[in-house]
Amino acid sequence: MNKQTNEQSLKDTRERILDAAEQLFMKYGYDGTSMRVVTNEAGVNLAAANYHFGSKESLMQAVLRRRLEVINQERLRLLDEAEANAGGKPLKPSVIIDCYFGTLLRIAADQKAGGETFLRLLGRTFTEPSDFIRAFMSTEYADVLERYKQALFRSLPDVPKAEIVWRFHFMLGATSYAIAGTDALHLVTDWQFDEGSAEQDKNLLPRLMSFLIGGLRAPLPQFENEAEPTAGKSANKDAAA
Amino acid sequence: MNKQTNEQSLKDTRERILDAAEQLFMKYGYDGTSMRVVTNEAGVNLAAANYHFGSKESLMQAVLRRRLEVINQERLRLLDEAEANAGGKPLKPSVIIDCYFGTLLRIAADQKAGGETFLRLLGRTFTEPSDFIRAFMSTEYADVLERYKQALFRSLPDVPKAEIVWRFHFMLGATSYAIAGTDALHLVTDWQFDEGSAEQDKNLLPRLMSFLIGGLRAPLPQFENEAEPTAGKSANKDAAA
DNA sequence: CTAGAATTAAAACGAACGTTTGAATTATAT
DNA sequence: ATATAATTCAAACGTTCGTTTTAATTCTAG
């Protein structure tokens, strides 16, 4: 066998494990997936998983990191580009939202293999019970989230920062659900799409984007306990403007 | 011991198991929680769980059913009441949303024990990997979801039903996240609330409600592939009106 | 070609899992 | 009080889990 075959078979083992793990973690969750079914699905020996990744936890992190790196790099690149084009002026909220959530959905649509699978895995990852997963996500997302938060703060200077953070959180939730579950959608509708699942994915981004921006720019809430001068209404106007 | 003690100790075993299971399922998920830690936490014998509930799956269903029954009954009651007061006219979207999502958060805030815990468990349940859990939720929610869908259809006659269903799905996601994770929120902010967690819960409902209604009534998306006559803009106006 | 490193393979490790068993205990009712 | 049912208990069932071990095999380099 030539040199290429050697390198390829080495890379194949790692990547076959990653691909199988990605699919199975998506379908059955971290706790619901055993190393044995991963290696069986990948067609490799059981010990190969621990040899290449060290542990099940590290395998999960490798699965997540492989895709998150390109997604978050693209997110930072697009935000840099948008801010450069804006020339010092604050970005429109819709542009920021599109850079963040649009990148996620577009990359998932582009990647032929594993893209949609990873998208659904990612949706579940935020609510995974295991501490180490959430801790990993937290560090993996730290810088890109900080950049986007600051961009939103500049974009909506009259909206309290706490409100922006909450609404960003709500947007994450809506997006996670949107991508995590065609299954979860069946809770809401039993009617089947005429155009098939391809239609769903193609129209999901504009649908979701409209919803997110509508939520982000909604009038500010009125809290029961707070005094309510007329200034409150002007804050509403700023947020909705 | 008197008769009350007997009945009480019987009920205590079942309810102590339910309470412990609720907490542990919330913290560690279904697969991450063993019958042994449940019964240890409840202070009962291991076999008592299988004696009273038959299996781990049935225990999970009992945990969910105990709270969902009162929440969904209240949801139907409030919708009946609102529709009776409206006298045949369609309800405002904000009223429907408040009956559905507001009930959830208010009940959770009222119940002294387990309310908030169950809320966070529920948030995770929609993305649980186990098939039987999602199947159970589907049947448990079937009628109340149908009622609310029809109410929204009547409330927004000019918005395509597919759009309403999708946006209801987005709203479920945003709400799930909002309640499932203070942890997930730490992904977005590292700043601590001055008023403590009580402040979070108290203001969560108005915050979330503003976001949801803003998203529900956002302008309709424009799909790339569809022809775009001026009628498209009027549909937007209807949705935003 | 050959020594050494990298990878794969089969087998086993102890621990934890959901569930069941059968006896001991407690409550209920005549 | 006594028989019957309901519940609790300690112990064990067989299975699966993540990981490790040790030997065989394959690749790499001098």
Side-chain angles (χ1 to χ4, degrees):
Chain A
M1 313 304 176
N2 56 20
K3 184 181 159 196
Q4 190 199 354
T5 306
N6 303 342
E7 286 180 0
Q8 185 178 339
S9 84
L10 180 145
K11 216 166 74 172
D12 268 2
T13 298
R14 288 191 87 256
E15 290 210 347
R16 283 158 65 126
I17 293 175
L18 285 176
D19 290 341
E22 186 173 69
Q23 276 220 239
L24 291 162
F25 285 150
M26 181 268 286
K27 273 193 199 170
Y28 307 110
Y30 177 77
D31 288 321
T33 301
S34 72
M35 299 290 267
R36 281 168 174 83
V37 330
V38 169
T39 49
N40 276 349
E41 194 72 18
V44 303
N45 188 271
L46 167 62
N50 279 297
Y51 174 78
H52 284 285
F53 298 98
S55 68
K56 187 183 177 185
E57 290 197 357
S58 300
L59 171 59
M60 176 57 142
Q61 290 175 357
V63 167
L64 296 174
R65 183 160 32 225
R66 174 171 65 150
R67 312 277 188 193
L68 281 182
E69 266 176 3
V70 348
I71 291 175
N72 281 340
Q73 271 186 336
E74 176 74 358
R75 277 168 166 164
L76 291 176
R77 192 188 66 78
L78 283 178
L79 192 56
D80 287 338
E81 189 178 287
E83 286 180 340
N85 290 344
K89 297 204 299 183
L91 298 174
K92 282 173 58 181
S94 61
V95 172
I96 302 173
I97 300 310
D98 186 75
C99 288
Y100 193 86
F101 295 100
T103 295
L104 184 66
L105 273 63
R106 276 186 293 266
I107 283 189
D110 278 0
Q111 269 165 334
K112 296 313 171 197
E116 184 183 352
T117 297
F118 175 73
L119 207 56
R120 301 181 58 176
L121 169 62
L122 187 63
R124 284 203 171 140
T125 298
F126 287 100
T127 52
E128 270 282 351
S130 300
D131 286 335
F132 85 95
I133 295 180
R134 292 202 310 278
F136 173 79
M137 298 289 285
S138 182
T139 68
E140 194 76 6
Y141 268 107
D143 45 345
V144 52
L145 278 176
E146 185 59 30
R147 282 287 315 273
Y148 273 80
K149 263 170 46 183
Q150 296 302 331
L152 281 174
F153 291 164
R154 278 199 303 275
S155 180
L156 299 166
D158 299 314
V159 181
K161 294 185 177 181
E163 212 64 43
I164 294 178
V165 170
W166 273 106
R167 290 184 173 190
F168 197 74
H169 190 227
F170 297 152
M171 289 188 281
L172 276 174
T175 305
S176 260
Y177 255 45
I179 63 184
T182 313
D183 297 349
L185 185 64
H186 291 164
L187 274 176
V188 176
T189 177
D190 39 17
W191 125 75
Q192 299 295 332
F193 293 92
D194 298 341
E195 297 94 324
S197 70
E199 191 269 349
Q200 292 181 43
D201 296 331
K202 187 152 50 63
N203 288 340
L204 174 60
L205 180 55
R207 279 197 226 268
L208 177 62
M209 208 62 75
S210 295
F211 180 87
L212 294 183
I213 294 171
L216 176 61
R217 307 183 63 166
L220 294 180
Q222 316 263 353
F223 302 123
E224 295 176 6
N225 53 326
E226 72 181 4
E228 196 51 54
T230 50
K233 288 218 164 188
S234 90
N236 280 9
K237 206 149 170 253
D238 289 337
Chain B
M1 314 306 175
N2 57 20
K3 185 181 156 198
Q4 189 199 354
T5 307
N6 302 342
E7 287 179 1
Q8 186 178 337
S9 83
L10 178 145
K11 215 164 76 171
D12 268 4
T13 298
R14 289 190 87 256
E15 289 209 348
R16 283 158 65 125
I17 293 175
L18 285 176
D19 290 342
E22 186 173 69
Q23 275 221 244
L24 292 162
F25 285 150
M26 180 271 284
K27 274 193 199 169
Y28 307 110
Y30 177 77
D31 288 320
T33 302
S34 72
M35 299 290 268
R36 280 170 175 82
V37 329
V38 169
T39 48
N40 276 350
E41 193 73 16
V44 303
N45 188 272
L46 167 62
N50 280 297
Y51 174 78
H52 285 285
F53 298 98
S55 69
K56 188 184 178 185
E57 290 198 358
S58 299
L59 170 59
M60 177 56 143
Q61 290 175 358
V63 167
L64 296 174
R65 184 160 31 223
R66 175 171 65 150
R67 312 276 188 197
L68 281 182
E69 266 177 1
V70 348
I71 290 174
N72 281 340
Q73 270 185 338
E74 176 75 357
R75 277 168 166 164
L76 291 177
R77 192 189 66 77
L78 283 178
L79 193 56
D80 286 339
E81 189 177 287
E83 287 181 339
N85 290 344
K89 296 204 300 184
L91 299 174
K92 283 174 57 183
S94 62
V95 172
I96 301 173
I97 300 309
D98 186 75
C99 287
Y100 193 86
F101 296 99
T103 296
L104 184 65
L105 273 63
R106 275 187 293 268
I107 283 188
D110 279 359
Q111 269 166 335
K112 297 313 169 195
E116 186 183 352
T117 297
F118 176 73
L119 207 55
R120 300 181 59 178
L121 169 62
L122 188 60
R124 284 203 170 143
T125 298
F126 287 100
T127 52
E128 270 283 351
S130 300
D131 286 335
F132 85 95
I133 295 180
R134 290 202 312 277
F136 174 80
M137 299 290 285
S138 182
T139 69
E140 195 76 7
Y141 267 108
D143 45 345
V144 53
L145 278 177
E146 185 58 30
R147 279 288 315 275
Y148 274 79
K149 262 171 45 184
Q150 295 303 329
L152 281 174
F153 290 165
R154 278 198 303 274
S155 179
L156 300 166
D158 299 313
V159 181
K161 293 185 176 182
E163 213 63 42
I164 295 179
V165 170
W166 272 105
R167 291 186 172 189
F168 196 74
H169 191 227
F170 296 152
M171 289 188 280
L172 277 174
T175 305
S176 261
Y177 255 44
I179 62 184
T182 313
D183 296 349
L185 185 64
H186 291 163
L187 274 175
V188 175
T189 178
D190 39 15
W191 126 75
Q192 299 294 332
F193 293 92
D194 299 340
E195 297 95 323
S197 69
E199 192 268 351
Q200 291 182 45
D201 297 336
K202 188 154 48 63
N203 289 339
L204 175 59
L205 181 54
R207 278 197 226 266
L208 178 62
M209 207 64 76
S210 295
F211 180 87
L212 294 183
I213 294 171
L216 176 62
R217 307 183 63 168
L220 293 181
Q222 315 262 354
F223 302 122
E224 297 176 7
N225 53 327
E226 73 182 5
E228 197 50 55
T230 49
K233 290 215 162 188
S234 89
N236 281 7
K237 208 158 169 236
D238 289 337

